[in-house]
Amino acid sequence: MAIINACFSSNHFAIIHLLLLFFYVSSCLDIIKICLADANVLCLDADREGLFAFKTSLTDPSGRLASWVGEDCCTWNGIKCNNQTGHVTKLELRNPYWLVNGGVGDREAYKRSCLGGKINPSLLHLNQLNYLDISFNDFEGAPIPDFFGQLQNLRYLNLSFASFSGEIPNQLGNLSGLQYLDLYADSYSNSGTLELSTQNLKWLSGLSSLKHLNLGYVKLDGVGADWLQTVNMLPSLVELRLHWCQLQGLPLSLPSINFTSLSVLDLSENSFNAFPQWLFNLTSLTKLYLRWDFFNNHIPGEFANLELLEVLDLSNNLELGGQIPGIFGNLSRLRILDLSANNLIGDIQEFLGGFSGKPNNLFFLDLSSNSLVGELPESLGNLKNLQYLFLSGNSFWGSIPSSIGSLSSLWKLDLSYNMMNGTIPESFGQLSKLVDANLMQNSWEGILNEAHLINLRRLESIRLTTQPTRSLVFNVSYKWVPPFMLKSIQLENCLVGPPFPLWLQLQTELTFVVLRKVGISDTIPGDWFSKLSSQISYLVLSNNEIKGNLPHELEFPNLRGIDLSSNRFEGPFPQWSINTSELYLQDNSFSGPLPENIGVLMPRLQRLYLSWNHLNSRIPSSMCDMLDLQVLSLRSNKFSGELPNCWHQSQMLWAIDISNNTLSGHLPISFGYLRSLSVLMLSNNNLDGEIPSSLQNCTGLTSIDLGGNKFSGTLPPWIEDNKLASLFMLRLQSNLLSGNIPQRLCNLRNLHILDLSHNMFSGCIPRCIGNLSALVHGKNSEVFERLIYVAIKGRDPEYRSIIAIVDSIDLSWNNLTGGIPDEVSSLSALHILNLSHNYLAGPIPPSLSSLTSLTRLNLSYNNLAGRIPPLPKFVDPSIFEGNPSLCGAPLPNKCPRSSTFRKTNF
Ligand SMILES: *[C@@H]1O[C@H](CO)[C@@H](O)[C@H](O)[C@H]1NC(C)=O
Ligand SMILES: *[C@@H]1O[C@H](CO)[C@@H](O)[C@H](O)[C@H]1NC(C)=O
Ligand SMILES: *[C@@H]1O[C@H](CO)[C@@H](O)[C@H](O)[C@H]1NC(C)=O
Ligand SMILES: *[C@@H]1O[C@H](CO)[C@@H](O)[C@H](O)[C@H]1NC(C)=O
Ligand SMILES: *[C@@H]1O[C@H](CO)[C@@H](O)[C@H](O)[C@H]1NC(C)=O
Ligand SMILES: *[C@@H]1O[C@H](CO)[C@@H](O)[C@H](O)[C@H]1NC(C)=O
Ligand SMILES: *[C@@H]1O[C@H](CO)[C@@H](O)[C@H](O)[C@H]1NC(C)=O
Ligand SMILES: *[C@@H]1O[C@H](CO)[C@@H](O)[C@H](O)[C@H]1NC(C)=O
């Protein structure tokens, strides 16, 4: 009404100003028409009723359609009407929680906000509808309604991410005015189990106005070889997206090319292999996506025909090989080139040479994960507009060319995982836009001084790790003030110390710090931890020689992991309140007890490594309150007293290593609740009593080492009962165990390490020992090695000493009697066999010579008799000594002419 009033007053004004009369009248007549229409409520009854019924059959948990009340449907949310006729023309009901940059901000809000239910054919009342968007909703696998084909005025139809499934109705082919069709089917709300499909694409030929077509994730494996012909009949097509459509093979030739206006083509993640010639006739292409398509052979030079190309993605074709041709420099509009994860070989001289003397717009170049070699040429400097340069995972060597300094827009550089064995040039310091530099896993040489870093004003993240140790030296003056304020730093193996660098102390925004093996042998300045404590999430200072105490009480609200291992820290264990999941303090000189409330201070710990310190006293029972605890490593400390018996809730704990302490008492019965327990190492303590039967509940045990204690009694029956089928290592040496070696021990079919030495076992070696099938086949031990490595992490020699005894049997220093069973000779994977210091009698089985893997043998101090059979590898007499009745080489005593122990006797 305001407009109408304005019009009348203008009219009145116009009477006085005659000259302007005509203008005002004519323009106001238009406005009045509109205003009047507005005033009359445009929404047509039929449209409104159609919408009402449509709304009623939908589900709308978050009330997105709450405004759909009252007469004037043109004012409802998501509705647009023609302002002349009042017909509803546009229905836009896309879920607003889908972010434009792809992804869901708030997943719950997104799900709640999904429309669903049934799509009512009452939509057909909207006979002027030209725009329909119901994307990012959840129709739970319903088919696309075929009556959509009757919405004959549709120009825009978007059903993407809406969980439709089944056959696409051919009726959609009747929408001859349709310009935009999006059926992208990888819905966020279903996990890919629903599928849209179509048996042929013939229906497409009716869509003669189509400009944009997206059938991503629609199953097209049955469309037949002529599908491309159908698409080729769409002369206006500008954008075609057939991402992940299970298309098998791309026709190599076409009689004619009609879709020459095609500008965007995405055929990624199908199964093609050769590049078809017609592709290079699509000279209007600006964006071409062909990743994960199994293209092989090499990159054709014909890409140079596609002069308008701005984006080319040929990544992840795995078998795409050959050298990168020099043609890309001819594509002057090319902005994004992704050739990563192929099998490209050779150097990149020709590729970069192609850009010489030509203007280029390349700002994103990804050549990572190929097999490229050679030095990086100076011509890299041709790519002056580069913002992203990814070269990781190749075999480039040499130095970074000094021309890198001319890449003045460079924002992100990744040269990690190469063989760079030269220097970083001073011009690197000119990269004033550089935010993220990843130079990890190379063999850098030389020095980095202030000049190398002088203008890196925007640098937020630097990662630089090198082999061998200290080939690269950070040489900046102690008082140097860096131009950058880092968030993330990772330096490994280069020399940064010996003092704790001042420049590092000036970096007050760090959230991620790794300074491993960088030669710092200083104390950490008193306030450094507290300065970082509020934001730091990951802190690694391991393998230095850092001295001093840790600040006693601090809160680290965001700390996820901290590794201060292999330094010279001393003093008490820090009473830090942290939500950290990983704490590595092993191999230092921490002393004193653990805090009684450690489980309260560090409730989220998953991995706790404290081995090789001087910690003492009891292990606090609040340890059992760490419900996420997976690895507990307290090896080589001075812990004493009994183990806490409170493990009823520790469902995640899979490795316990408290070897080499002075624990006493029995094994806690509650170990039986450790459902995940795999590695149990408690050797070299003063534990006693029997091995509790509750351990049989830990059926995932792979490694038991209880050696060097005072355990007594017989072997627990469950060890034989095949309850521990995964057992790889059983070490019970140096205890007070007695009784027979039971037959059923032979059922441990994964056993690779058996050590029962230094006990009081008596009776015979069971003949079934030949059934220890792991020692027959010698299955690989990678899993075991990994488990042990993680479980005892700390000093290398300990780990190696365990790995060195894989495939061994040690029964020495017991009271075993009887003969050495012939069956031992079936254990063809056996490396080590020690039967010394028993009362074994009879001859040495000659079949032992068939144990080709055997490298260590000891049969000394038994009652063995007769001639030593030929065992060419074993010439050291000491392994046979202490058997008075043995004779022959390598022992000095010759055998009598007729030995009483002839082979046939046994
Ligand atoms: C009415 O619709 C036409 C075409 O859609 C548009 O150009 C015009 O600006 C609209 N007028 C008003 C007042 O919205
Ligand atoms: C391509 O266009 C030509 C000429 O317009 C026409 O004769 C031919 O049928 C079209 N080819 C296809 C496959 O649609
Ligand atoms: C592609 O273009 C070449 C010339 O550049 C022409 O000879 C050839 O016929 C074209 N192919 C098709 C299928 O149009
Ligand atoms: C690329 O451009 C150069 C001139 O800069 C030209 O000599 C060469 O033929 C072009 N290569 C192709 C494949 O178009
Ligand atoms: C760097 O590595 C390359 C390739 O392995 C080798 O040829 C070259 O001698 C090495 N250079 C230095 C300085 O070690
Ligand atoms: C046991 O721990 C002590 C320190 O407590 C250490 O000196 C010794 O080397 C360790 N022994 C083994 C076998 O780890
Ligand atoms: C061992 O497992 C059995 C059966 O699952 C259970 O009843 C028993 O309480 C467990 N014992 C221990 C000590 O965990
Ligand atoms: C071991 O055997 C010897 C000799 O037969 C015997 O004197 C000794 O008591 C036995 N020891 C045990 C623990 O059985």
Side-chain angles (χ1 to χ4, degrees):
M1 282 305 134
I3 295 173
I4 294 174
N5 284 340
C7 291
F8 283 131
S9 58
S10 306
N11 233 347
H12 179 67
F13 182 72
I15 295 166
I16 302 163
H17 300 272
L18 285 171
L19 262 178
L20 299 173
L21 181 64
F22 178 73
F23 170 77
Y24 275 109
V25 168
S26 60
S27 65
C28 280
L29 282 178
D30 274 351
I31 295 171
I32 288 165
K33 240 191 312 190
I34 295 156
C35 297
L36 285 176
D38 231 348
N40 287 348
V41 179
L42 287 179
C43 184
L44 303 178
D45 291 345
D47 287 17
R48 185 175 52 248
E49 278 155 24
L51 286 171
F52 263 137
F54 173 68
K55 172 188 174 179
T56 312
S57 21
L58 287 181
T59 57
D60 178 20
S62 68
R64 280 171 56 199
L65 305 183
S67 69
W68 287 28
V69 291
E71 294 289 287
D72 187 2
C73 71
C74 296
T75 63
W76 295 354
N77 242 348
I79 310 286
K80 289 262 168 19
C81 298
N82 181 308
N83 59 20
Q84 312 277 324
T85 64
H87 280 106
V88 172
T89 55
K90 190 166 176 183
L91 191 49
E92 188 171 22
L93 297 175
R94 158 190 288 245
N95 186 331
Y97 280 91
W98 187 262
L99 306 177
V100 181
N101 63 6
V104 169
D106 179 343
R107 198 192 149 93
E108 282 312 307
Y110 169 77
K111 284 185 116 174
R112 224 176 15 255
S113 171
C114 277
L115 299 174
K118 194 171 168 298
I119 298 178
N120 198 309
S122 65
L123 267 194
L124 291 175
H125 292 260
L126 313 176
N127 60 15
Q128 295 298 312
L129 195 67
N130 62 45
Y131 187 107
L132 177 58
D133 181 354
I134 50 174
S135 57
F136 299 99
N137 289 296
D138 187 1
F139 293 99
E140 297 175 281
I144 293 176
D146 48 20
F147 69 79
F148 279 176
Q150 296 170 49
L151 292 165
Q152 64 215 13
N153 284 308
L154 271 193
R155 279 196 243 136
Y156 181 103
L157 179 59
N158 190 342
L159 307 178
S160 62
F161 286 91
S163 296
F164 288 109
S165 74
E167 273 289 293
I168 297 173
N170 290 352
Q171 286 87 336
L172 291 190
N174 298 338
L175 300 172
S176 58
L178 203 62
Q179 296 177 2
Y180 185 107
L181 178 60
D182 190 348
L183 302 179
Y184 193 88
D186 183 40
S187 160
Y188 183 78
S189 44
N190 80 69
S191 46
T193 49
L194 303 176
E195 249 174 354
L196 268 180
S197 59
T198 184
Q199 286 312 309
N200 68 68
L201 286 173
K202 292 278 188 302
W203 54 274
L204 272 182
S205 57
L207 306 180
S208 51
S209 313
L210 205 58
K211 291 185 176 158
H212 303 270
L213 176 61
N214 190 347
L215 297 179
Y217 284 94
V218 175
K219 197 167 177 255
L220 299 182
D221 59 345
V223 294
D226 58 349
W227 65 272
L228 191 62
Q229 292 292 355
T230 317
V231 176
N232 193 19
M233 280 184 234
L234 303 172
S236 316
L237 207 58
V238 173
E239 177 172 4
L240 175 62
R241 293 187 183 265
L242 299 174
H243 172 227
W244 195 305
C245 291
Q246 305 182 32
L247 286 166
Q248 312 286 330
L250 204 52
L252 287 183
S253 64
L254 276 179
S256 66
I257 301 287
N258 289 16
F259 54 178
T260 47
S261 43
L262 206 59
S263 167
V264 178
L265 178 59
D266 183 352
L267 296 175
S268 295
E269 305 198 47
N270 288 288
S271 204
F272 306 142
N273 34 59
F275 293 102
Q277 274 309 308
W278 53 262
L279 187 62
F280 307 111
N281 289 46
L282 302 178
T283 49
S284 305
L285 280 181
T286 60
K287 298 182 180 155
L288 179 55
Y289 305 91
L290 300 173
R291 61 175 182 274
W292 280 113
D293 275 332
F294 302 97
F295 285 112
N296 51 29
N297 214 326
H298 61 272
I299 300 175
E302 284 91 335
F303 274 105
N305 298 355
L306 307 178
E307 287 174 7
L308 304 183
L309 216 51
E310 294 168 19
V311 178
L312 177 59
D313 183 353
L314 292 176
S315 66
N316 289 290
N317 281 296
L318 312 180
E319 293 299 312
L320 185 58
Q323 210 159 333
I324 309 179
I327 47 124
F328 292 105
N330 291 35
L331 304 175
S332 63
R333 298 180 183 222
L334 198 62
R335 292 184 300 116
I336 296 181
L337 179 60
D338 190 347
L339 303 177
S340 62
N342 286 303
N343 191 26
L344 300 168
I345 57 168
D347 61 37
I348 54 172
Q349 302 274 359
E350 185 182 338
F351 167 66
L352 288 175
F355 290 88
S356 295
K358 293 176 205 150
N360 73 74
N361 281 301
L362 202 62
F363 86 93
F364 178 105
L365 176 62
D366 191 347
L367 304 179
S368 55
S369 303
N370 280 288
S371 304
L372 300 166
V373 297
E375 290 184 278
L376 296 178
E378 287 290 345
S379 49
L380 187 62
N382 291 339
L383 305 178
K384 291 210 173 3
N385 298 306
L386 273 188
Q387 293 179 25
Y388 300 85
L389 176 58
F390 301 107
L391 301 174
S392 70
N394 284 289
S395 299
F396 292 120
W397 53 271
S399 302
I400 297 182
S402 61
S403 63
I404 189 110
S406 50
L407 307 184
S408 56
S409 305
L410 202 61
W411 194 85
K412 202 168 170 160
L413 171 66
D414 189 349
L415 259 173
S416 61
Y417 297 92
N418 275 289
M419 296 165 67
M420 299 298 288
N421 55 359
T423 58
I424 298 169
E426 262 187 30
S427 59
F428 184 77
Q430 298 308 316
L431 298 172
S432 59
K433 300 264 173 62
L434 195 64
V435 172
D436 186 342
N438 187 351
L439 307 176
M440 278 174 66
Q441 298 285 343
N442 283 288
S443 301
W444 299 109
E445 293 220 320
I447 55 166
L448 274 190
N449 59 34
E450 291 163 29
H452 289 88
L453 305 162
I454 191 157
N455 275 326
L456 303 179
R457 286 187 291 273
R458 301 241 179 116
L459 196 66
E460 289 180 4
S461 166
I462 182 162
R463 276 170 281 181
L464 198 164
T465 71
T466 185
Q467 281 292 347
T469 308
R470 301 197 185 163
S471 50
L472 183 84
V473 177
F474 251 71
N475 186 9
V476 296
S477 70
Y478 185 69
K479 299 221 156 132
W480 177 58
V481 178
F484 43 72
M485 192 53 93
L486 295 175
K487 295 201 166 78
S488 166
I489 184 170
Q490 177 167 11
L491 303 176
E492 291 185 34
N493 267 343
C494 31
L495 185 61
V496 174
F500 193 83
L502 182 66
W503 61 264
L504 189 66
Q505 298 172 49
L506 301 174
Q507 304 295 308
T508 52
E509 292 179 6
L510 288 168
T511 62
F512 181 95
V513 177
V514 177
L515 295 169
R516 192 194 308 274
K517 228 175 184 180
V518 295
I520 300 177
S521 57
D522 202 354
T523 55
I524 292 184
D527 57 347
W528 191 63
F529 281 108
S530 43
K531 265 195 228 153
L532 291 184
S533 61
S534 67
Q535 80 268 7
I536 190 91
S537 71
Y538 207 77
L539 177 62
V540 177
L541 300 173
S542 64
N543 298 84
N544 289 291
E545 291 171 15
I546 305 175
K547 302 185 278 255
N549 291 12
L550 293 176
H552 201 47
E553 288 180 32
L554 266 185
E555 295 201 0
F556 290 92
N558 297 310
L559 197 62
R560 295 282 152 264
I562 179 164
D563 183 352
L564 306 178
S565 65
S566 298
N567 278 292
R568 297 192 186 158
F569 286 108
E570 56 195 12
F573 181 89
Q575 305 252 357
W576 292 345
S577 172
I578 47 182
N579 276 324
T580 308
S581 54
E582 299 181 31
L583 177 61
Y584 301 87
L585 299 180
Q586 75 271 22
D587 201 7
N588 278 291
S589 296
F590 291 107
S591 56
L594 291 178
E596 277 302 322
N597 61 345
I598 187 168
V600 177
L601 291 171
M602 308 181 174
R604 303 249 72 88
L605 273 187
Q606 294 176 9
R607 297 182 175 198
L608 177 58
Y609 290 85
L610 303 176
S611 57
W612 290 95
N613 280 290
H614 310 306
L615 297 165
N616 60 25
S617 293
R618 293 170 62 91
I619 295 171
S621 58
S622 95
M623 209 76 127
C624 299
D625 298 335
M626 300 174 178
L627 297 185
D628 300 332
L629 196 62
Q630 296 175 15
V631 180
L632 176 61
S633 170
L634 307 178
R635 165 181 285 251
S636 295
N637 278 285
K638 303 198 167 76
F639 288 109
S640 57
E642 295 191 9
L643 282 162
N645 184 13
C646 54
W647 302 99
H648 308 80
Q649 306 289 326
S650 307
Q651 297 297 301
M652 310 301 284
L653 195 56
W654 66 262
I656 297 177
D657 179 6
I658 320 181
S659 312
N660 199 25
N661 281 281
T662 50
L663 299 175
S664 55
H666 297 357
L667 278 193
I669 302 288
S670 59
F671 271 0
Y673 288 93
L674 298 173
R675 288 293 146 77
S676 309
L677 195 63
S678 168
V679 177
L680 178 62
M681 316 248 272
L682 296 170
S683 63
N684 296 330
N685 281 287
N686 281 319
L687 296 165
D688 58 18
E690 299 207 348
I691 300 172
S693 65
S694 68
L695 267 191
Q696 68 187 305
N697 279 11
C698 309
T699 50
L701 270 169
T702 61
S703 319
I704 298 179
D705 188 349
L706 301 178
N709 282 289
K710 295 184 182 134
F711 289 111
S712 54
T714 56
L715 272 186
W718 47 266
I719 288 191
E720 321 140 32
D721 266 356
N722 217 6
K723 290 232 168 81
L724 306 185
S726 330
L727 204 59
F728 194 103
M729 170 170 97
L730 178 60
R731 301 190 76 203
L732 301 173
Q733 74 284 2
S734 304
N735 278 290
L736 306 171
L737 297 165
S738 56
N740 289 348
I741 298 178
Q743 294 272 342
R744 280 183 296 175
L745 188 71
C746 308
N747 293 339
L748 296 174
R749 59 179 183 277
N750 280 304
L751 200 64
H752 286 256
I753 300 176
L754 175 63
D755 188 349
L756 302 179
S757 66
H758 294 273
N759 279 288
M760 300 184 297
F761 289 111
S762 53
C764 298
I765 301 176
R767 289 187 169 273
C768 68
I769 198 157
N771 298 349
L772 287 173
S773 52
L775 289 171
V776 176
H777 306 298
K779 266 188 266 153
N780 77 42
S781 55
E782 268 170 42
V783 175
F784 172 73
E785 293 184 18
R786 225 172 23 242
L787 287 177
I788 294 297
Y789 181 80
V790 177
I792 76 170
K793 206 171 238 180
R795 297 196 172 178
D796 223 24
E798 295 169 78
Y799 166 72
R800 284 179 197 287
S801 70
I802 296 177
I803 299 313
I805 57 170
V806 171
D807 297 326
S808 69
I809 292 179
D810 190 345
L811 304 176
S812 64
W813 294 93
N814 280 291
N815 266 3
L816 299 173
T817 52
I820 300 177
D822 250 337
E823 285 77 0
V824 171
S825 310
S826 352
L827 304 177
S828 39
L830 203 60
H831 276 144
I832 303 173
L833 178 63
N834 190 349
L835 303 176
S836 67
H837 296 274
N838 280 290
Y839 298 95
L840 298 171
I844 300 174
S847 57
L848 280 191
S849 66
S850 66
L851 291 178
T852 50
S853 301
L854 200 62
T855 56
R856 276 155 63 190
L857 174 69
N858 194 347
L859 302 176
S860 63
Y861 297 95
N862 278 290
N863 289 326
L864 298 169
R867 184 186 290 279
I868 298 174
L871 297 168
K873 268 198 267 176
F874 301 100
V875 295
D876 176 359
S878 70
I879 66 174
F880 300 109
E881 76 189 13
N883 292 288
S885 309
L886 271 186
C887 61
L891 288 176
N893 53 324
K894 293 215 155 62
C895 292
R897 211 164 248 265
S898 65
S899 170
T900 28
F901 288 100
R902 278 192 309 266
K903 185 179 173 221
T904 45
N905 288 358
F906 285 83

